[in-house]
Amino acid sequence: MTATIFDHQERRQWRDRASAYADSFAHLCGHTASALLDAVAVKPGERLLDAGTGTGTVAALAAARGAEVTAVDAEPSMVAYARERVPAANIVEAILPSLPFEDDAFDAVVANFVLNHVGDPRAAVAELRRVTRTGGRIAVTIWPYPQPPLQRLWADAVEVPGLVRPADRVALPADLDFPRTPDGFAALLSDAGFAEVGCETVEWDHVVDAEDWWSGPANGIASIGQLVVAQTPAVVDRIHARYLELAAAFRRADGLLALPTSALLATGTA
Ligand SMILES: C[S@@+](CC[C@H](N)C(=O)[O-])C[C@H]1O[C@@H](n2cnc3c(N)ncnc32)[C@H](O)[C@@H]1O
């Protein structure tokens, strides 16, 4: 399967960023780890695949629940980080939509905030379906659109004088994209052949120190981080100042931010 320009952009975006991700956005993404494993009802001894494991949050939790865990990630620094964190798991470098596993290899498959990072989401889900045994279960998350306040905060913070949007930054082409809504996400699974499909919206407040939260984009994490690190130091300072100004609306009495966010969690049976 040929990688798209979007996939190449993703490879650049995550290169060598495991530690920076672990210190910032991994805490946000980790919120849905238990819900994903509950959704696939993983039992001790079952074969579970964590696709796009990142720093291994879901893989670690699944191993703690007694699953026989396999995990993949496209980014070598993530694979190294996850291997050290979850020695019991079999963690390999692999890129959706091509997984180095036999058909029907897993009882359960999860992917936490990964299908929003692949160049061909339908092909990626078809590959996850291929490796899930008949009767096996899938649970996957993405960020919804319209954006919740946490995500909108970044979008608003970069609206500063002098911001330059890199001309080579590409979005997913419309023919490969899908609606980031409960119905759109559920349809992605149904169209790939999953049955008993459902999608719920998980809502929570991400509680975090303001400077810790800034460290993600400041170190190039996610598309917002790629935009931030492409700016001159003066523009980065402006974004930082604007971010702190906007974040003040979410500051609690103890000084931490409580940022409202939500995720779409879709489930199905193969
Ligand atoms: C937002 S992180 C989520 C990581 C992890 N699932 C978690 O919950 O913390 C996205 C991860 O997906 C990986 N990824 C992106 N595209 C991928 C692909 N096509 N195949 C495999 N992994 C991919 C990235 O390298 C990154 O580690």
Side-chain angles (χ1 to χ4, degrees), residues 7 10-11 14 21 26 29-30 50-55 57-58 72-75 78 94-97 112-114 117-118:
D7 287 309
E10 285 286 324
R11 294 297 78 72
W14 293 105
Y21 175 73
C29 295
D50 179 21
T53 191
T55 47
T57 306
V58 180
V72 301
D73 201 279
E75 161 54 28
M78 296 289 191
I95 303 178
L96 280 166
N112 197 31
F113 302 110
V114 178
H117 288 287
V118 299

Side-chain angles (χ1 to χ4, degrees), residues 180-251:
R180 309 304 166 106
T181 59
D183 285 350
F185 200 29
L188 192 72
L189 294 195
S190 310
D191 292 349
F194 285 100
E196 299 165 4
V197 169
C199 182
E200 63 169 307
T201 302
V202 182
E203 297 182 328
W204 74 102
D205 282 353
H206 181 54
V207 176
V208 65
D209 173 81
E211 289 303 337
D212 288 349
W213 191 228
W214 167 251
S215 78
N219 286 297
I221 298 299
S223 41
I224 181 65
Q226 291 296 292
L227 184 57
V228 169
V229 298
Q231 308 305 314
T232 62
V235 174
V236 173
D237 286 347
R238 260 177 241 151
I239 297 171
H240 185 205
R242 178 90 182 117
Y243 155 72
L244 290 175
E245 202 177 288
L246 293 168
F250 300 100
R251 204 176 280 279

